[in-house]
Amino acid sequence: MKFIIETYGCQMNVADSELVSSILISAGHTPVTDIDEAQAIIFNTCSVRDHAEQRVLGRIANEKHRKNTDPELKIGVIGCMAQRVGKRLMEIEPGIDFVVGVDQYQHLPSILDDSLSSEEDTLYMDPSQIYPGIMPYRQDKNCGFVTVMRGCNNFCSYCIVPYVRGRERSRPVDDIYTEVRRATEVGLRDITLLGQNVNSYQHDGYRFPDLLKKLNDIESLWRLRFVTSHPKDLSDELISAMASCTKVCEHIHLPLQAGDDQMLKKMNRSYDIDHYLGLIDKLRTAIPDIAITTDLMVGFPSETQSQFENTLRVMERIRFDYAFCFKYSEREGTVAATYKDQVPENERLRRLQTMIDLQRQITFEKFQEQIGKNVEVYVEDFSRKSQDMVSGKTRDFKIAVLSGSSDKIGGLSMAKVIDATAGTLICE
Ligand code: 5AD
Ligand code: SF4
């Protein structure tokens, strides 16, 4: 069958879609890029906020009309929302033909060819599932994701992930090494290691800093990144591995969530602001010019105006290069959803806008500070605005554009930053 996967949510889902594509291709199915050609449409979904779930349901409602003219069309839901809601999804949206949970993707080929035994539980959460021996089907020609661990044990009180993705489990070092090496050999020189909580990676005595050191030796690899790190697992050893491994890029994504100790406690984040600020100091001392990005949340239950303002003050103090700002969304089944003192929706929105405005200003200033510097750009494509310009990323994960033609694409260019907007470095 011709299939297409529409992916929502985080990079873990992007990587899982590549894994699912690989499973389906091995079984003889064909990926297509035009949804109108597809005989199977698979939605890889996210449950982290209600908004993400509603968007997918809207998309499915749109696509199911095609069944009137093409009754053979199959629509499936996989990923976190499939796991969270289960087969009930097929009642909520009768256009859906199948629902498969995050640990059962090996069944997708037999679902597409209608040979799946009715005995199979396609929602079973398998605590040992790591999808061994599957090389993801990658469409990006320059950058690749490699999953190193799955699941999360942290149970932050707002978060649905531990319930839908299960407990942490790590892949063997040798499998990761082989996958990274093979990816770089086909031209993917910028690799991002993925995990819900990547720095708690451990397998057979190997911990995350050991993994970085081992991968750093791969000659064909140019750049190594990782997401997402938890502040409680960012050890001194990891910071020194980041500093000493030449391939590891000068960037860390370190979700703060809130800049108020009481909020952090209620969120079950297991660190306080002092600890977080200490980490930032250590990172900036060990790796000067490191870019630091974060996730922040407003309107967590009982958050007062002054607690919200504490977060703004911490943002001003740290000056993140970029922050993903979210408005708290109740997730049924999590501890925080049982809290009585929910912040009204309009107040959440107001705080979110204030936070976004502040971060936009800081990001703009951070980009302006780059003017005059020399940066290494891994050129990935033509610039969207002009065929005489190419674009790529700096080691610290900023988008950069520079003059050049197709021969630059896929290579590293040294460039000087001559101007900047709040999202792009303009270089020559
Ligand atoms: N509401 C809003 N944002 C959430 N996140 C996780 N759960 C929720 C929720 N219930 C955010 C966190 C996390 C990011 C991936 O999504 O900031 O770091
Ligand atoms: Fe969710 Fe916290 Fe785990 Fe991140 S670390 S996936 S926010 S429970």
Side-chain angles (χ1 to χ4, degrees):
M1 286 179 93
K2 293 180 182 168
F3 72 90
I4 193 164
I5 306 179
E6 201 168 292
T7 308
Y8 292 78
C10 64
Q11 285 108 325
M12 273 312 269
N13 267 11
V14 176
D16 276 1
S17 291
E18 296 180 342
L19 186 92
V20 168
S21 292
S22 176
I23 293 172
L24 290 175
I25 291 166
S26 302
H29 300 288
T30 311
V32 291
T33 50
D34 177 1
I35 197 161
D36 294 327
E37 261 187 60
Q39 297 161 298
I41 307 175
I42 300 172
F43 291 90
N44 190 1
T45 58
C46 171
S47 277
V48 137
R49 284 168 291 275
D50 184 56
H51 179 68
E53 295 197 343
Q54 297 311 322
R55 263 179 59 212
V56 164
L57 288 176
R59 279 287 300 123
I60 297 172
N62 270 344
E63 291 301 329
K64 78 168 177 208
H65 293 301
R66 281 187 33 211
K67 289 190 168 184
N68 298 334
T69 48
D70 179 8
E72 300 293 301
L73 176 72
K74 286 194 162 80
I75 295 181
V77 180
I78 63 174
C80 295
M81 188 181 182
Q83 195 68 59
R84 191 183 83 75
V85 186
K87 304 260 168 171
R88 262 190 305 139
L89 265 172
M90 291 155 90
E91 292 158 29
I92 297 169
E93 176 43 84
I96 299 171
D97 300 287
F98 59 89
V99 179
V100 180
V102 296
D103 293 327
Q104 299 302 321
Y105 295 151
Q106 71 279 11
H107 293 306
L108 281 162
S110 41
I111 290 175
L112 289 198
D113 66 23
D114 293 321
S115 66
L116 186 80
S117 144
S118 56
E119 305 283 288
E120 289 297 349
D121 176 357
T122 60
L123 290 164
Y124 171 63
M125 288 177 76
D126 177 352
S128 63
Q129 177 62 282
I130 50 168
Y131 294 107
I134 302 171
M135 279 291 153
Y137 169 73
R138 298 188 166 97
Q139 280 172 304
D140 194 300
K141 297 282 167 280
N142 302 302
C143 304
F145 294 124
V146 173
T147 303
V148 303
M149 56 88 69
R150 303 176 73 85
C152 181
N153 291 349
N154 291 326
F155 289 93
C156 300
S157 62
Y158 49 80
C159 188
I160 196 71
V161 167
Y163 303 92
V164 294
R165 290 257 173 192
R167 296 297 68 73
E168 286 178 7
R169 66 213 92 134
S170 296
R171 293 178 63 196
V173 175
D174 291 342
D175 291 6
I176 297 168
Y177 184 90
T178 306
E179 196 175 313
V180 172
R181 194 173 44 73
R182 284 215 210 151
T184 58
E185 283 166 1
V186 296
L188 300 140
R189 311 297 195 132
D190 185 327
I191 297 291
T192 302
L193 307 179
L194 288 184
Q196 239 79 45
N197 192 8
V198 80
N199 47 8
S200 69
Y201 172 89
Q202 52 178 327
H203 195 276
D204 264 357
Y206 262 90
R207 303 186 69 91
F208 194 61
D210 308 318
L211 181 65
L212 289 185
K213 286 181 201 154
K214 183 162 170 96
L215 299 176
N216 194 60
D217 290 339
I218 298 177
E219 231 169 89
S220 44
L221 174 70
W222 291 346
R223 292 175 168 189
L224 188 57
R225 312 174 181 280
F226 52 90
V227 279
T228 288
S229 302
H230 194 298
K232 79 173 166 54
D233 297 311
L234 184 60
S235 62
D236 291 350
E237 200 195 344
L238 175 53
I239 295 175
S240 72
M242 287 174 72
S244 67
C245 293
T246 52
K247 311 281 174 71
V248 176
C249 290
E250 294 73 28
H251 170 225
I252 188 163
H253 184 67
L254 194 64
L256 168 63
Q257 311 298 0
D260 179 273
D261 282 345
Q262 263 179 308
M263 281 293 106
L264 287 174
K265 198 152 198 257
K266 280 189 91 168
M267 289 176 167
N268 194 29
R269 289 291 288 175
S270 24
Y271 56 86
D272 59 14
I273 297 302
D274 271 353
H275 177 75
Y276 191 93
L277 291 173
L279 292 177
I280 301 294
D281 276 350
K282 283 185 195 172
L283 283 162
R284 286 182 168 154
T285 307
I287 309 155
D289 292 332
I290 187 171
I292 301 174
T293 56
T294 199
D295 292 344
L296 295 165
M297 201 185 299
V298 298
F300 183 79
S302 81
E303 183 191 60
T304 62
Q305 173 66 20
S306 83
Q307 287 173 321
F308 165 61
E309 285 170 8
N310 285 342
T311 302
L312 301 180
R313 297 297 84 77
V314 175
M315 290 167 70
E316 283 164 344
R317 185 156 167 192
I318 295 176
R319 297 175 57 75
F320 294 108
D321 290 70
Y322 188 78
F324 295 90
C325 304
F326 304 110
K327 150 171 93 68
Y328 168 72
S329 165
E330 286 98 351
R331 306 282 62 213
E332 194 187 331
T334 61
V335 172
T338 65
Y339 293 163
K340 294 279 168 280
D341 34 10
Q342 302 285 336
V343 175
E345 178 65 17
N346 59 348
E347 184 55 25
R348 288 184 215 182
L349 259 177
R350 194 192 62 78
R351 290 180 193 174
L352 180 64
Q353 196 54 55
T354 309
M355 176 178 270
I356 289 173
D357 291 345
L358 172 62
Q359 185 56 46
R360 191 170 290 146
Q361 180 60 28
I362 296 172
T363 297
F364 178 68
E365 288 164 12
K366 281 274 181 181
F367 273 67
Q368 290 282 307
E369 283 164 21
Q370 302 290 312
I371 297 175
K373 288 190 183 163
N374 291 312
V375 290
E376 180 199 89
V377 183
Y378 181 22
V379 179
E380 294 171 35
D381 209 343
F382 287 105
S383 142
R384 259 184 281 161
K385 292 207 175 128
S386 155
Q387 287 285 303
D388 304 326
M389 306 275 286
V390 288
S391 83
K393 277 191 226 62
T394 60
R395 283 179 61 97
D396 70 349
F397 211 59
K398 291 184 172 66
I399 292 173
V401 295
L402 58 146
S403 56
S405 52
S406 59
D407 57 322
K408 276 209 162 75
I409 295 174
L412 297 175
S413 285
M414 282 309 294
K416 184 173 183 161
V417 184
I418 51 166
D419 201 358
T421 67
T424 309
L425 301 176
I426 295 125
C427 306
E428 63 175 20

